Amino acid sequence: MSIYRSLPLLALLLLLTTGCDSEKTAEPDSGGQVTVRYMHMGVAADDGDNNPYVTRQFPDAVAEHFPDIALKSEMLPEDPYTKTLLVQLSSGEGPDFFEWWPMRQLEELVAAGYLQDLTGMDILNRFTPDALEGYTINGKVYGMPKGLSIMATWYNKELFEQHDIDAFPSDWPSFLAACEKLKQAGVTPIVMPDEDRWFIQFGLYQLAASIVYAADPDFDKKLLAGERAFANSPWREVLLMYKSLYDRGYIAPGSLDIGAEKAAALFNDGKAAMMFNGNWDYARLTANPASRGAGSAGGLKSNGGANDFQRGFMPLPGNEPGQPLLLSIGPAGGTVINANTRHLSEVLDILAYQFDPDSPLYGLYKQNYDVFPMYKGEDLGIPEFQDYTALSKTHDSVYFSNQAWPVGVADALCRGFQDWIAGHGTVDDILAAMDERLEALRD
């Protein structure tokens, strides 16, 4: 997945590891091979493997091309991945290279001295300057991105047409009207996997693009400078608007018991008209529907069972009619190298091979990550993205909010919203928790 989920508190993890033996204990190599470790997030909450490239294709291709290198590939679910990785890095260990998030989240690892400086290396010639921007800190480059990530609304075009919704709504009132029309027709408008709390961000940041940043593009800079707070800001409106989708019955009931795989299956089976997600989940949300044993969740009604249908991908509009609609587009997650790796030359050889357009490994890589454009407005040749690509050429965009926040703030947001869905707490409790976490992490 994505890669644009909330992260645990780095400072807390550093405290937990204080006093740990920081002397490196190298993993012994065997059979004359150098063992190189690679870590990647992305195992779904229900333990389903959603990235065969990482678990099988990548290691096998490296073994075939580099007989002296054994690539040990590891995958963990989002929360364990981050916690495990930060603990290892703080003790001077960790994988030789791994996946990480851009911008502020990258900045914290750079400040801690955990990442290899790649500035000036030939491998960076594979990327456009725009793509590298999210991995550039103080003029130095620390990572290799997949491209751009996009948050949007996946929707069932045929269900929309069947209920006389001619086009995807372009403002908030028309979006609510479309949801109400679907609901009155017995169709579940939206399914969300709130059991996996980071998915809560995928709707919120789309709304925030138009509500928070259209009027104040420097909002996050002011937050970090202590000039603004979440409380008494447009973020209150964002949270209330998103919660109204639950209160009106537009999001499937029982969402706290629905995980990512189940939500995708319900969408693919035509049992819900929409799901807030991103381009990174293309494979899962365009899979040919079949009987998956997903059953019913929260009283979802079947709309014809396992039918194939045309899918659309468009922004959730937070704007009022006539006001600007901003898109939610940010740098995608990418590959970084451990500053303490003992195998820098081997890692660079592996990555150079992966990004060589003439290598079979590059072909496998692009098959898995071809949904990430390298620049805004790039036509990927993917039908589901064509309307969004056209829109991005005429509309401004905003990075994902958590990409500018210190690690831990988005986690407070998602946990608080989960509690709110469950009937505990208020919107102001969430904002206060975010401000409290921000204050603790600002410096």
Side-chain angles (χ1 to χ4, degrees):
M1 161 173 143
S2 153
I3 51 199
Y4 305 94
R5 38 118 25 244
S6 53
L7 303 176
L9 176 59
L10 176 58
L12 175 60
L13 289 171
L14 293 177
L15 288 172
L16 289 174
T17 56
T18 299
C20 291
D21 184 2
S22 62
E23 183 178 351
K24 287 191 280 187
T25 56
E27 180 179 338
D29 298 332
S30 60
Q33 287 185 315
V34 171
T35 299
V36 176
R37 290 181 58 210
Y38 171 61
M39 283 185 69
H40 193 296
M41 81 296 292
V43 177
D46 58 3
D47 297 327
D49 176 6
N50 64 3
N51 199 326
Y53 176 80
V54 171
T55 57
R56 297 188 297 278
Q57 296 171 351
F58 193 16
D60 290 349
V62 169
E64 182 176 348
H65 191 72
F66 300 104
D68 295 334
I69 300 176
L71 179 61
K72 182 180 179 182
S73 182
E74 306 168 61
M75 288 187 72
L76 289 172
E78 302 285 347
D79 285 342
Y81 174 84
T82 307
K83 293 174 182 176
T84 299
L85 188 54
L86 291 178
V87 168
Q88 291 180 3
L89 292 173
S90 67
S91 63
E93 294 294 328
D96 295 285
F97 65 120
F98 56 95
E99 296 300 296
W100 197 253
W101 295 270
M103 296 177 63
R104 178 72 190 204
Q105 296 162 359
L106 178 81
E107 212 174 300
E108 298 193 8
L109 293 198
V110 171
Y114 294 158
L115 301 185
Q116 183 75 39
D117 181 1
L118 306 177
T119 308
M121 292 188 179
D122 291 342
I123 195 170
L124 297 183
N125 296 332
R126 307 288 188 193
F127 304 93
T128 65
D130 288 346
L132 291 174
E133 185 176 351
Y135 284 83
T136 302
I137 307 295
N138 296 326
K140 296 183 177 181
V141 182
Y142 292 91
M144 292 156 280
K146 293 183 176 72
L148 297 175
S149 285
I150 304 168
M151 285 183 187
T153 305
W154 285 91
Y155 70 102
N156 185 324
K157 284 189 172 183
E158 293 179 17
L159 275 179
F160 270 51
E161 292 170 1
Q162 289 171 17
H163 299 286
D164 299 321
I165 305 172
D166 298 329
F168 194 82
S170 59
D171 56 58
W172 181 245
S174 61
F175 180 79
L176 294 179
C179 289
E180 183 64 24
K181 180 174 283 191
L182 292 167
K183 180 185 174 184
Q184 292 300 322
V187 176
T188 299
I190 307 160
V191 61
M192 286 302 294
D194 294 325
E195 181 181 47
D196 300 326
R197 64 177 177 273
W198 54 88
F199 275 84
I200 289 169
Q201 299 169 99
F202 299 167
L204 288 172
Y205 296 164
Q206 292 185 68
L207 295 176
S210 297
I211 297 168
V212 177
Y213 301 102
D216 191 356
D218 293 329
F219 180 84
D220 290 323
K221 292 180 180 178
K222 296 173 184 176
L223 272 180
L224 298 178
E227 299 169 4
R228 291 296 305 264
F230 288 106
N232 301 314
S233 80
W235 268 100
R236 192 174 194 277
E237 182 182 357
V238 171
L239 290 169
L240 289 170
M241 288 170 65
Y242 194 58
K243 179 62 159 53
S244 73
L245 298 179
Y246 294 82
D247 297 340
R248 295 168 183 253
Y250 298 156
I251 292 181
S255 65
L256 291 173
D257 296 320
I258 299 176
E261 288 294 332
K262 192 171 189 176
L266 291 167
F267 173 76
N268 286 333
D269 284 335
K271 295 178 181 176
M274 290 176 277
M275 182 178 174
F276 306 136
N277 207 320
N279 57 331
W280 56 84
D281 226 356
Y282 174 86
R284 182 158 53 182
L285 294 179
T286 58
N288 286 331
S291 179
R292 300 174 179 82
S296 61
L300 294 185
K301 295 182 180 179
S302 172
N303 294 295
N307 298 316
D308 197 9
F309 56 87
Q310 284 190 322
R311 291 150 174 83
F313 183 81
M314 289 292 278
L316 170 64
N319 57 304
E320 289 297 317
Q323 296 300 309
L325 167 62
L326 271 66
L327 312 182
S328 191
I329 302 175
T335 306
V336 297
I337 301 176
N338 190 339
N340 288 324
T341 178
R342 295 178 294 112
H343 304 303
L344 179 59
S345 62
E346 288 85 358
V347 170
L348 290 174
D349 283 345
I350 290 171
L351 293 175
Y353 183 56
Q354 176 178 254
F355 293 117
D356 180 358
D358 295 326
S359 77
L361 179 57
Y362 181 78
L364 292 171
Y365 178 83
K366 288 303 293 181
Q367 285 177 18
N368 284 269
Y369 301 117
D370 64 347
V371 298
F372 297 97
M374 292 303 289
Y375 57 88
K376 186 178 172 184
E378 178 185 1
D379 186 357
L380 298 175
I382 298 175
E384 289 84 359
F385 295 157
Q386 286 180 350
D387 291 343
Y388 196 104
T389 297
L391 200 66
S392 71
K393 294 177 180 178
T394 58
H395 287 63
D396 290 334
S397 63
V398 179
Y399 54 82
F400 304 158
S401 302
N402 68 321
Q403 293 181 330
W405 299 341
V407 169
V409 175
D411 194 54
L413 168 64
C414 294
R415 289 181 184 275
F417 203 90
Q418 272 187 327
D419 289 342
W420 200 17
I421 295 171
H424 310 297
T426 67
V427 61
D428 294 310
D429 291 335
I430 298 173
L431 297 170
M434 294 171 70
D435 280 326
E436 182 179 354
R437 187 66 61 88
L438 177 65
E439 182 63 29
L441 298 172
R442 183 178 284 122
D443 296 330

